[in-house]
PDB file of all heavy atoms in Angstrom:
ATOM      1  N   ALA B  32     -37.628 222.229  59.070  1.00 97.00           N
ATOM      2  CA  ALA B  32     -36.315 222.661  59.684  1.00 97.00           C
ATOM      3  C   ALA B  32     -36.593 223.278  61.021  1.00 97.00           C
ATOM      4  O   ALA B  32     -35.895 223.127  61.992  1.00 97.00           O
ATOM      5  CB  ALA B  32     -35.565 223.584  58.732  1.00 97.00           C
ATOM      6  N   THR B  33     -37.649 224.144  61.035  1.00 97.00           N
ATOM      7  CA  THR B  33     -38.015 224.771  62.231  1.00 97.00           C
ATOM      8  C   THR B  33     -38.391 223.802  63.357  1.00 97.00           C
ATOM      9  O   THR B  33     -38.071 223.882  64.470  1.00 97.00           O
ATOM     10  CB  THR B  33     -39.200 225.864  62.023  1.00 97.00           C
ATOM     11  OG1 THR B  33     -38.779 226.726  60.955  1.00 97.00           O
ATOM     12  CG2 THR B  33     -39.503 226.613  63.295  1.00 97.00           C
ATOM     13  N   ALA B  34     -39.232 222.848  62.896  1.00 97.00           N
ATOM     14  CA  ALA B  34     -39.605 221.762  63.828  1.00 97.00           C
ATOM     15  C   ALA B  34     -38.434 220.969  64.412  1.00 97.00           C
ATOM     16  O   ALA B  34     -38.321 220.686  65.559  1.00 97.00           O
ATOM     17  CB  ALA B  34     -40.654 220.826  63.152  1.00 97.00           C
ATOM     18  N   ALA B  35     -37.481 220.728  63.463  1.00 98.00           N
ATOM     19  CA  ALA B  35     -36.265 219.967  63.914  1.00 98.00           C
ATOM     20  C   ALA B  35     -35.411 220.750  64.871  1.00 98.00           C
ATOM     21  O   ALA B  35     -34.926 220.139  65.862  1.00 98.00           O
ATOM     22  CB  ALA B  35     -35.478 219.644  62.649  1.00 98.00           C
ATOM     23  N   THR B  36     -35.232 222.012  64.689  1.00 98.00           N
ATOM     24  CA  THR B  36     -34.363 222.774  65.556  1.00 98.00           C
ATOM     25  C   THR B  36     -35.082 222.941  66.942  1.00 98.00           C
ATOM     26  O   THR B  36     -34.408 222.930  67.956  1.00 98.00           O
ATOM     27  CB  THR B  36     -34.045 224.178  65.011  1.00 98.00           C
ATOM     28  OG1 THR B  36     -35.220 224.993  64.700  1.00 98.00           O
ATOM     29  CG2 THR B  36     -33.158 224.098  63.733  1.00 98.00           C
ATOM     30  N   LEU B  37     -36.379 223.123  66.885  1.00 98.00           N
ATOM     31  CA  LEU B  37     -37.138 223.208  68.117  1.00 98.00           C
ATOM     32  C   LEU B  37     -37.099 221.942  68.901  1.00 98.00           C
ATOM     33  O   LEU B  37     -36.882 221.837  70.127  1.00 98.00           O
ATOM     34  CB  LEU B  37     -38.539 223.725  67.841  1.00 98.00           C
ATOM     35  CG  LEU B  37     -39.301 224.319  69.016  1.00 98.00           C
ATOM     36  CD1 LEU B  37     -38.630 225.501  69.695  1.00 98.00           C
ATOM     37  CD2 LEU B  37     -40.679 224.720  68.601  1.00 98.00           C
ATOM     38  N   ALA B  38     -37.281 220.829  68.167  1.00 98.00           N
ATOM     39  CA  ALA B  38     -37.195 219.523  68.805  1.00 98.00           C
ATOM     40  C   ALA B  38     -35.888 219.194  69.371  1.00 98.00           C
ATOM     41  O   ALA B  38     -35.684 218.630  70.426  1.00 98.00           O
ATOM     42  CB  ALA B  38     -37.680 218.374  67.885  1.00 98.00           C
ATOM     43  N   GLY B  39     -34.806 219.684  68.686  1.00 98.00           N
ATOM     44  CA  GLY B  39     -33.468 219.497  69.071  1.00 98.00           C
ATOM     45  C   GLY B  39     -33.239 220.242  70.397  1.00 98.00           C
ATOM     46  O   GLY B  39     -32.584 219.652  71.337  1.00 98.00           O
ATOM     47  N   SER B  40     -33.722 221.414  70.538  1.00 98.00           N
ATOM     48  CA  SER B  40     -33.583 222.130  71.796  1.00 98.00           C
ATOM     49  C   SER B  40     -34.323 221.481  72.952  1.00 98.00           C
ATOM     50  O   SER B  40     -33.809 221.331  74.010  1.00 98.00           O
ATOM     51  CB  SER B  40     -34.153 223.574  71.628  1.00 98.00           C
ATOM     52  OG  SER B  40     -34.252 224.246  72.844  1.00 98.00           O
ATOM     53  N   GLY B  41     -35.509 220.932  72.588  1.00 98.00           N
ATOM     54  CA  GLY B  41     -36.270 220.130  73.562  1.00 98.00           C
ATOM     55  C   GLY B  41     -35.523 218.910  74.015  1.00 98.00           C
ATOM     56  O   GLY B  41     -35.527 218.539  75.145  1.00 98.00           O
ATOM     57  N   TYR B  42     -34.935 218.229  73.115  1.00 98.00           N
ATOM     58  CA  TYR B  42     -34.183 216.998  73.440  1.00 98.00           C
ATOM     59  C   TYR B  42     -33.017 217.299  74.313  1.00 98.00           C
ATOM     60  O   TYR B  42     -32.722 216.574  75.311  1.00 98.00           O
ATOM     61  CB  TYR B  42     -33.648 216.305  72.161  1.00 98.00           C
ATOM     62  CG  TYR B  42     -32.756 215.155  72.397  1.00 98.00           C
ATOM     63  CD1 TYR B  42     -33.293 213.941  72.845  1.00 98.00           C
ATOM     64  CD2 TYR B  42     -31.359 215.272  72.417  1.00 98.00           C
ATOM     65  CE1 TYR B  42     -32.465 212.896  73.148  1.00 98.00           C
ATOM     66  CE2 TYR B  42     -30.549 214.251  72.743  1.00 98.00           C
ATOM     67  CZ  TYR B  42     -31.088 212.965  73.074  1.00 98.00           C
ATOM     68  OH  TYR B  42     -30.296 211.896  73.420  1.00 98.00           O
ATOM     69  N   ILE B  43     -32.283 218.392  74.062  1.00 98.00           N
ATOM     70  CA  ILE B  43     -31.103 218.807  74.934  1.00 98.00           C
ATOM     71  C   ILE B  43     -31.606 219.118  76.299  1.00 98.00           C
ATOM     72  O   ILE B  43     -31.022 218.666  77.379  1.00 98.00           O
ATOM     73  CB  ILE B  43     -30.421 220.011  74.318  1.00 98.00           C
ATOM     74  CG1 ILE B  43     -29.723 219.586  73.022  1.00 98.00           C
ATOM     75  CG2 ILE B  43     -29.427 220.578  75.290  1.00 98.00           C
ATOM     76  CD1 ILE B  43     -29.273 220.784  72.194  1.00 98.00           C
ATOM     77  N   HIS B  44     -32.728 219.842  76.448  1.00 97.00           N
ATOM     78  CA  HIS B  44     -33.256 220.186  77.789  1.00 97.00           C
ATOM     79  C   HIS B  44     -33.795 218.900  78.498  1.00 97.00           C
ATOM     80  O   HIS B  44     -33.622 218.813  79.691  1.00 97.00           O
ATOM     81  CB  HIS B  44     -34.330 221.237  77.639  1.00 97.00           C
ATOM     82  CG  HIS B  44     -33.770 222.580  77.462  1.00 97.00           C
ATOM     83  ND1 HIS B  44     -33.362 223.098  76.191  1.00 97.00           N
ATOM     84  CD2 HIS B  44     -33.490 223.622  78.365  1.00 97.00           C
ATOM     85  CE1 HIS B  44     -32.901 224.357  76.445  1.00 97.00           C
ATOM     86  NE2 HIS B  44     -32.949 224.605  77.694  1.00 97.00           N
ATOM     87  N   ALA B  45     -34.390 217.932  77.786  1.00 97.00           N
ATOM     88  CA  ALA B  45     -34.881 216.736  78.342  1.00 97.00           C
ATOM     89  C   ALA B  45     -33.687 215.932  78.878  1.00 97.00           C
ATOM     90  O   ALA B  45     -33.687 215.373  79.959  1.00 97.00           O
ATOM     91  CB  ALA B  45     -35.713 215.936  77.313  1.00 97.00           C
ATOM     92  N   GLN B  46     -32.615 215.861  78.035  1.00 97.00           N
ATOM     93  CA  GLN B  46     -31.432 215.139  78.444  1.00 97.00           C
ATOM     94  C   GLN B  46     -30.843 215.710  79.692  1.00 97.00           C
ATOM     95  O   GLN B  46     -30.405 215.018  80.641  1.00 97.00           O
ATOM     96  CB  GLN B  46     -30.394 215.101  77.283  1.00 97.00           C
ATOM     97  CG  GLN B  46     -29.114 214.437  77.634  1.00 97.00           C
ATOM     98  CD  GLN B  46     -28.025 214.682  76.563  1.00 97.00           C
ATOM     99  OE1 GLN B  46     -27.981 215.737  75.981  1.00 97.00           O
ATOM    100  NE2 GLN B  46     -27.168 213.731  76.371  1.00 97.00           N
ATOM    101  N   LEU B  47     -30.683 217.026  79.687  1.00 96.00           N
ATOM    102  CA  LEU B  47     -30.143 217.659  80.932  1.00 96.00           C
ATOM    103  C   LEU B  47     -30.971 217.496  82.176  1.00 96.00           C
ATOM    104  O   LEU B  47     -30.491 217.269  83.256  1.00 96.00           O
ATOM    105  CB  LEU B  47     -29.927 219.215  80.705  1.00 96.00           C
ATOM    106  CG  LEU B  47     -28.819 219.567  79.699  1.00 96.00           C
ATOM    107  CD1 LEU B  47     -28.818 221.032  79.349  1.00 96.00           C
ATOM    108  CD2 LEU B  47     -27.486 219.152  80.336  1.00 96.00           C
ATOM    109  N   TYR B  48     -32.270 217.502  81.932  1.00 97.00           N
ATOM    110  CA  TYR B  48     -33.220 217.273  83.067  1.00 97.00           C
ATOM    111  C   TYR B  48     -32.971 215.839  83.625  1.00 97.00           C
ATOM    112  O   TYR B  48     -32.833 215.737  84.826  1.00 97.00           O
ATOM    113  CB  TYR B  48     -34.627 217.415  82.557  1.00 97.00           C
ATOM    114  CG  TYR B  48     -35.651 216.951  83.698  1.00 97.00           C
ATOM    115  CD1 TYR B  48     -36.001 217.771  84.688  1.00 97.00           C
ATOM    116  CD2 TYR B  48     -36.202 215.675  83.635  1.00 97.00           C
ATOM    117  CE1 TYR B  48     -36.842 217.366  85.743  1.00 97.00           C
ATOM    118  CE2 TYR B  48     -37.078 215.261  84.605  1.00 97.00           C
ATOM    119  CZ  TYR B  48     -37.412 216.104  85.631  1.00 97.00           C
ATOM    120  OH  TYR B  48     -38.238 215.721  86.705  1.00 97.00           O
ATOM    121  N   VAL B  49     -32.955 214.879  82.786  1.00 97.00           N
ATOM    122  CA  VAL B  49     -32.764 213.491  83.256  1.00 97.00           C
ATOM    123  C   VAL B  49     -31.423 213.261  83.880  1.00 97.00           C
ATOM    124  O   VAL B  49     -31.296 212.650  84.906  1.00 97.00           O
ATOM    125  CB  VAL B  49     -32.985 212.497  82.052  1.00 97.00           C
ATOM    126  CG1 VAL B  49     -32.555 211.094  82.434  1.00 97.00           C
ATOM    127  CG2 VAL B  49     -34.463 212.482  81.603  1.00 97.00           C
ATOM    128  N   ASP B  50     -30.340 213.785  83.303  1.00 95.00           N
ATOM    129  CA  ASP B  50     -29.003 213.613  83.666  1.00 95.00           C
ATOM    130  C   ASP B  50     -28.639 214.263  85.030  1.00 95.00           C
ATOM    131  O   ASP B  50     -27.957 213.714  85.884  1.00 95.00           O
ATOM    132  CB  ASP B  50     -27.900 214.060  82.679  1.00 95.00           C
ATOM    133  CG  ASP B  50     -28.031 213.029  81.440  1.00 95.00           C
ATOM    134  OD1 ASP B  50     -28.585 211.921  81.626  1.00 95.00           O
ATOM    135  OD2 ASP B  50     -27.396 213.399  80.427  1.00 95.00           O
ATOM    136  N   GLU B  51     -29.122 215.579  85.200  1.00 92.00           N
ATOM    137  CA  GLU B  51     -28.672 216.256  86.406  1.00 92.00           C
ATOM    138  C   GLU B  51     -29.640 217.382  86.904  1.00 92.00           C
ATOM    139  O   GLU B  51     -29.676 217.605  88.099  1.00 92.00           O
ATOM    140  CB  GLU B  51     -27.299 216.870  86.136  1.00 92.00           C
ATOM    141  CG  GLU B  51     -27.142 217.582  84.816  1.00 92.00           C
ATOM    142  CD  GLU B  51     -25.690 217.973  84.519  1.00 92.00           C
ATOM    143  OE1 GLU B  51     -25.146 218.872  85.062  1.00 92.00           O
ATOM    144  OE2 GLU B  51     -25.129 217.199  83.678  1.00 92.00           O
ATOM    145  N   TYR B  52     -30.395 218.058  86.023  1.00 93.00           N
ATOM    146  CA  TYR B  52     -31.148 219.194  86.455  1.00 93.00           C
ATOM    147  C   TYR B  52     -32.393 218.803  87.189  1.00 93.00           C
ATOM    148  O   TYR B  52     -32.949 219.747  87.865  1.00 93.00           O
ATOM    149  CB  TYR B  52     -31.421 220.077  85.219  1.00 93.00           C
ATOM    150  CG  TYR B  52     -30.255 220.832  84.787  1.00 93.00           C
ATOM    151  CD1 TYR B  52     -29.087 220.179  84.198  1.00 93.00           C
ATOM    152  CD2 TYR B  52     -30.096 222.221  84.927  1.00 93.00           C
ATOM    153  CE1 TYR B  52     -28.048 220.859  83.792  1.00 93.00           C
ATOM    154  CE2 TYR B  52     -29.040 222.903  84.538  1.00 93.00           C
ATOM    155  CZ  TYR B  52     -27.955 222.213  83.892  1.00 93.00           C
ATOM    156  OH  TYR B  52     -26.832 222.942  83.545  1.00 93.00           O
ATOM    157  N   ARG B  53     -32.856 217.657  87.191  1.00 94.00           N
ATOM    158  CA  ARG B  53     -34.135 217.325  87.892  1.00 94.00           C
ATOM    159  C   ARG B  53     -33.946 217.492  89.356  1.00 94.00           C
ATOM    160  O   ARG B  53     -34.961 217.599  90.045  1.00 94.00           O
ATOM    161  CB  ARG B  53     -34.615 215.939  87.490  1.00 94.00           C
ATOM    162  CG  ARG B  53     -33.676 214.800  88.061  1.00 94.00           C
ATOM    163  CD  ARG B  53     -34.208 213.428  87.816  1.00 94.00           C
ATOM    164  NE  ARG B  53     -33.299 212.433  88.252  1.00 94.00           N
ATOM    165  CZ  ARG B  53     -32.842 211.438  87.512  1.00 94.00           C
ATOM    166  NH1 ARG B  53     -33.364 211.286  86.259  1.00 94.00           N
ATOM    167  NH2 ARG B  53     -32.064 210.597  87.988  1.00 94.00           N
ATOM    168  N   PHE B  54     -32.757 217.516  89.872  1.00 93.00           N
ATOM    169  CA  PHE B  54     -32.507 217.656  91.280  1.00 93.00           C
ATOM    170  C   PHE B  54     -32.455 219.097  91.696  1.00 93.00           C
ATOM    171  O   PHE B  54     -32.294 219.416  92.925  1.00 93.00           O
ATOM    172  CB  PHE B  54     -31.207 216.946  91.654  1.00 93.00           C
ATOM    173  CG  PHE B  54     -31.275 215.448  91.357  1.00 93.00           C
ATOM    174  CD1 PHE B  54     -30.457 214.942  90.318  1.00 93.00           C
ATOM    175  CD2 PHE B  54     -32.140 214.618  92.020  1.00 93.00           C
ATOM    176  CE1 PHE B  54     -30.543 213.622  90.013  1.00 93.00           C
ATOM    177  CE2 PHE B  54     -32.149 213.256  91.671  1.00 93.00           C
ATOM    178  CZ  PHE B  54     -31.414 212.760  90.621  1.00 93.00           C
ATOM    179  N   ILE B  55     -32.474 220.052  90.812  1.00 93.00           N
ATOM    180  CA  ILE B  55     -32.354 221.466  91.177  1.00 93.00           C
ATOM    181  C   ILE B  55     -33.752 222.030  91.354  1.00 93.00           C
ATOM    182  O   ILE B  55     -34.605 221.986  90.416  1.00 93.00           O
ATOM    183  CB  ILE B  55     -31.559 222.247  90.076  1.00 93.00           C
ATOM    184  CG1 ILE B  55     -30.216 221.590  89.847  1.00 93.00           C
ATOM    185  CG2 ILE B  55     -31.483 223.698  90.403  1.00 93.00           C
ATOM    186  CD1 ILE B  55     -29.438 222.127  88.663  1.00 93.00           C
ATOM    187  N   HIS B  56     -34.025 222.515  92.488  1.00 92.00           N
ATOM    188  CA  HIS B  56     -35.384 223.071  92.875  1.00 92.00           C
ATOM    189  C   HIS B  56     -35.781 224.191  91.863  1.00 92.00           C
ATOM    190  O   HIS B  56     -35.037 225.036  91.474  1.00 92.00           O
ATOM    191  CB  HIS B  56     -35.334 223.682  94.314  1.00 92.00           C
ATOM    192  CG  HIS B  56     -36.637 224.175  94.725  1.00 92.00           C
ATOM    193  ND1 HIS B  56     -37.656 223.336  95.051  1.00 92.00           N
ATOM    194  CD2 HIS B  56     -37.025 225.416  94.958  1.00 92.00           C
ATOM    195  CE1 HIS B  56     -38.676 224.077  95.384  1.00 92.00           C
ATOM    196  NE2 HIS B  56     -38.345 225.314  95.371  1.00 92.00           N
ATOM    197  N   VAL B  57     -37.004 224.041  91.365  1.00 94.00           N
ATOM    198  CA  VAL B  57     -37.701 224.914  90.374  1.00 94.00           C
ATOM    199  C   VAL B  57     -36.980 224.826  88.997  1.00 94.00           C
ATOM    200  O   VAL B  57     -37.691 224.641  88.053  1.00 94.00           O
ATOM    201  CB  VAL B  57     -37.776 226.384  90.854  1.00 94.00           C
ATOM    202  CG1 VAL B  57     -38.525 227.214  89.807  1.00 94.00           C
ATOM    203  CG2 VAL B  57     -38.490 226.438  92.208  1.00 94.00           C
ATOM    204  N   VAL B  58     -35.677 224.999  88.989  1.00 94.00           N
ATOM    205  CA  VAL B  58     -34.999 224.923  87.659  1.00 94.00           C
ATOM    206  C   VAL B  58     -35.192 223.610  86.909  1.00 94.00           C
ATOM    207  O   VAL B  58     -35.445 223.634  85.736  1.00 94.00           O
ATOM    208  CB  VAL B  58     -33.521 225.254  87.839  1.00 94.00           C
ATOM    209  CG1 VAL B  58     -32.699 225.107  86.544  1.00 94.00           C
ATOM    210  CG2 VAL B  58     -33.371 226.737  88.403  1.00 94.00           C
ATOM    211  N   GLY B  59     -35.192 222.504  87.633  1.00 94.00           N
ATOM    212  CA  GLY B  59     -35.435 221.227  87.061  1.00 94.00           C
ATOM    213  C   GLY B  59     -36.772 221.175  86.383  1.00 94.00           C
ATOM    214  O   GLY B  59     -36.899 220.694  85.208  1.00 94.00           O
ATOM    215  N   LEU B  60     -37.803 221.643  87.053  1.00 96.00           N
ATOM    216  CA  LEU B  60     -39.143 221.664  86.490  1.00 96.00           C
ATOM    217  C   LEU B  60     -39.228 222.612  85.224  1.00 96.00           C
ATOM    218  O   LEU B  60     -39.916 222.292  84.263  1.00 96.00           O
ATOM    219  CB  LEU B  60     -40.168 222.113  87.521  1.00 96.00           C
ATOM    220  CG  LEU B  60     -40.426 221.083  88.618  1.00 96.00           C
ATOM    221  CD1 LEU B  60     -41.438 221.619  89.637  1.00 96.00           C
ATOM    222  CD2 LEU B  60     -40.997 219.777  88.002  1.00 96.00           C
ATOM    223  N   LEU B  61     -38.458 223.659  85.255  1.00 96.00           N
ATOM    224  CA  LEU B  61     -38.438 224.568  84.087  1.00 96.00           C
ATOM    225  C   LEU B  61     -37.851 223.868  82.893  1.00 96.00           C
ATOM    226  O   LEU B  61     -38.261 224.063  81.748  1.00 96.00           O
ATOM    227  CB  LEU B  61     -37.778 225.927  84.438  1.00 96.00           C
ATOM    228  CG  LEU B  61     -38.418 226.797  85.453  1.00 96.00           C
ATOM    229  CD1 LEU B  61     -37.498 227.981  85.765  1.00 96.00           C
ATOM    230  CD2 LEU B  61     -39.770 227.216  84.871  1.00 96.00           C
ATOM    231  N   PHE B  62     -36.796 223.077  83.123  1.00 96.00           N
ATOM    232  CA  PHE B  62     -36.110 222.339  82.057  1.00 96.00           C
ATOM    233  C   PHE B  62     -37.138 221.322  81.455  1.00 96.00           C
ATOM    234  O   PHE B  62     -37.287 221.156  80.246  1.00 96.00           O
ATOM    235  CB  PHE B  62     -34.844 221.625  82.553  1.00 96.00           C
ATOM    236  CG  PHE B  62     -33.613 222.373  82.370  1.00 96.00           C
ATOM    237  CD1 PHE B  62     -33.414 223.576  83.041  1.00 96.00           C
ATOM    238  CD2 PHE B  62     -32.733 222.050  81.393  1.00 96.00           C
ATOM    239  CE1 PHE B  62     -32.305 224.284  82.881  1.00 96.00           C
ATOM    240  CE2 PHE B  62     -31.564 222.816  81.206  1.00 96.00           C
ATOM    241  CZ  PHE B  62     -31.384 223.919  81.922  1.00 96.00           C
ATOM    242  N   LEU B  63     -37.892 220.637  82.378  1.00 97.00           N
ATOM    243  CA  LEU B  63     -38.885 219.689  81.875  1.00 97.00           C
ATOM    244  C   LEU B  63     -40.021 220.353  81.121  1.00 97.00           C
ATOM    245  O   LEU B  63     -40.477 219.904  80.064  1.00 97.00           O
ATOM    246  CB  LEU B  63     -39.477 218.903  83.107  1.00 97.00           C
ATOM    247  CG  LEU B  63     -40.461 217.785  82.779  1.00 97.00           C
ATOM    248  CD1 LEU B  63     -39.816 216.759  81.884  1.00 97.00           C
ATOM    249  CD2 LEU B  63     -40.956 217.237  84.131  1.00 97.00           C
ATOM    250  N   LEU B  64     -40.423 221.493  81.588  1.00 97.00           N
ATOM    251  CA  LEU B  64     -41.505 222.303  80.919  1.00 97.00           C
ATOM    252  C   LEU B  64     -41.010 222.739  79.527  1.00 97.00           C
ATOM    253  O   LEU B  64     -41.792 222.636  78.493  1.00 97.00           O
ATOM    254  CB  LEU B  64     -41.898 223.477  81.723  1.00 97.00           C
ATOM    255  CG  LEU B  64     -42.918 224.459  81.182  1.00 97.00           C
ATOM    256  CD1 LEU B  64     -44.232 223.721  80.935  1.00 97.00           C
ATOM    257  CD2 LEU B  64     -43.102 225.636  82.039  1.00 97.00           C
ATOM    258  N   GLN B  65     -39.755 223.259  79.419  1.00 97.00           N
ATOM    259  CA  GLN B  65     -39.213 223.697  78.216  1.00 97.00           C
ATOM    260  C   GLN B  65     -39.078 222.505  77.201  1.00 97.00           C
ATOM    261  O   GLN B  65     -39.527 222.673  76.054  1.00 97.00           O
ATOM    262  CB  GLN B  65     -37.848 224.286  78.367  1.00 97.00           C
ATOM    263  CG  GLN B  65     -37.378 225.123  77.226  1.00 97.00           C
ATOM    264  CD  GLN B  65     -36.845 224.467  76.017  1.00 97.00           C
ATOM    265  OE1 GLN B  65     -36.396 223.294  76.151  1.00 97.00           O
ATOM    266  NE2 GLN B  65     -36.870 225.051  74.881  1.00 97.00           N
ATOM    267  N   ALA B  66     -38.637 221.381  77.625  1.00 98.00           N
ATOM    268  CA  ALA B  66     -38.517 220.191  76.786  1.00 98.00           C
ATOM    269  C   ALA B  66     -39.941 219.821  76.284  1.00 98.00           C
ATOM    270  O   ALA B  66     -40.097 219.564  75.105  1.00 98.00           O
ATOM    271  CB  ALA B  66     -37.857 219.113  77.477  1.00 98.00           C
ATOM    272  N   SER B  67     -40.860 219.662  77.182  1.00 98.00           N
ATOM    273  CA  SER B  67     -42.203 219.265  76.743  1.00 98.00           C
ATOM    274  C   SER B  67     -42.882 220.214  75.829  1.00 98.00           C
ATOM    275  O   SER B  67     -43.486 219.809  74.767  1.00 98.00           O
ATOM    276  CB  SER B  67     -43.138 219.143  77.974  1.00 98.00           C
ATOM    277  OG  SER B  67     -42.530 218.315  78.976  1.00 98.00           O
ATOM    278  N   THR B  68     -42.739 221.487  76.085  1.00 98.00           N
ATOM    279  CA  THR B  68     -43.350 222.535  75.136  1.00 98.00           C
ATOM    280  C   THR B  68     -42.634 222.498  73.765  1.00 98.00           C
ATOM    281  O   THR B  68     -43.284 222.600  72.770  1.00 98.00           O
ATOM    282  CB  THR B  68     -43.155 223.841  75.817  1.00 98.00           C
ATOM    283  OG1 THR B  68     -43.812 223.826  77.114  1.00 98.00           O
ATOM    284  CG2 THR B  68     -43.909 224.921  74.999  1.00 98.00           C
ATOM    285  N   SER B  69     -41.294 222.379  73.827  1.00 98.00           N
ATOM    286  CA  SER B  69     -40.619 222.252  72.493  1.00 98.00           C
ATOM    287  C   SER B  69     -41.093 221.140  71.676  1.00 98.00           C
ATOM    288  O   SER B  69     -41.309 221.286  70.500  1.00 98.00           O
ATOM    289  CB  SER B  69     -39.107 222.211  72.779  1.00 98.00           C
ATOM    290  OG  SER B  69     -38.616 223.360  73.247  1.00 98.00           O
ATOM    291  N   PHE B  70     -41.218 219.969  72.276  1.00 98.00           N
ATOM    292  CA  PHE B  70     -41.662 218.796  71.523  1.00 98.00           C
ATOM    293  C   PHE B  70     -43.066 218.979  70.960  1.00 98.00           C
ATOM    294  O   PHE B  70     -43.343 218.638  69.849  1.00 98.00           O
ATOM    295  CB  PHE B  70     -41.599 217.498  72.376  1.00 98.00           C
ATOM    296  CG  PHE B  70     -40.138 217.023  72.683  1.00 98.00           C
ATOM    297  CD1 PHE B  70     -39.813 216.611  73.939  1.00 98.00           C
ATOM    298  CD2 PHE B  70     -39.187 216.965  71.586  1.00 98.00           C
ATOM    299  CE1 PHE B  70     -38.530 216.138  74.182  1.00 98.00           C
ATOM    300  CE2 PHE B  70     -37.930 216.503  71.934  1.00 98.00           C
ATOM    301  CZ  PHE B  70     -37.552 216.140  73.151  1.00 98.00           C
ATOM    302  N   ALA B  71     -43.953 219.527  71.802  1.00 98.00           N
ATOM    303  CA  ALA B  71     -45.337 219.653  71.456  1.00 98.00           C
ATOM    304  C   ALA B  71     -45.471 220.647  70.282  1.00 98.00           C
ATOM    305  O   ALA B  71     -46.151 220.418  69.307  1.00 98.00           O
ATOM    306  CB  ALA B  71     -46.203 220.096  72.642  1.00 98.00           C
ATOM    307  N   VAL B  72     -44.798 221.805  70.360  1.00 98.00           N
ATOM    308  CA  VAL B  72     -44.846 222.820  69.358  1.00 98.00           C
ATOM    309  C   VAL B  72     -44.231 222.298  68.061  1.00 98.00           C
ATOM    310  O   VAL B  72     -44.659 222.528  66.946  1.00 98.00           O
ATOM    311  CB  VAL B  72     -44.238 224.141  69.810  1.00 98.00           C
ATOM    312  CG1 VAL B  72     -44.147 225.132  68.642  1.00 98.00           C
ATOM    313  CG2 VAL B  72     -45.065 224.722  70.950  1.00 98.00           C
ATOM    314  N   ALA B  73     -43.095 221.566  68.186  1.00 98.00           N
ATOM    315  CA  ALA B  73     -42.409 220.982  67.015  1.00 98.00           C
ATOM    316  C   ALA B  73     -43.301 220.041  66.326  1.00 98.00           C
ATOM    317  O   ALA B  73     -43.397 220.051  65.063  1.00 98.00           O
ATOM    318  CB  ALA B  73     -41.149 220.300  67.472  1.00 98.00           C
TER     319      ALA B  73
END
């Protein structure tokens, strides 16, 4: 369950990165970092 909730958060951040946040300076990279870290830890 913990892995699932963490992966869910990562998925949401990855989706937001791809859809719109990748164009926002620094913040886009932070979304990508959060998604990657969430998936790895999950």
Side-chain angles (χ1 to χ4, degrees):
T33 304
T36 58
L37 199 57
S40 172
Y42 175 79
I43 292 166
H44 282 82
Q46 178 190 34
L47 287 170
Y48 172 80
V49 169
D50 289 347
E51 47 193 280
Y52 284 69
R53 69 176 176 231
F54 302 111
I55 303 170
H56 182 68
V57 181
V58 173
L60 290 176
L61 292 174
F62 268 70
L63 184 59
L64 178 65
Q65 197 281 337
S67 302
T68 305
S69 291
F70 287 137
V72 173

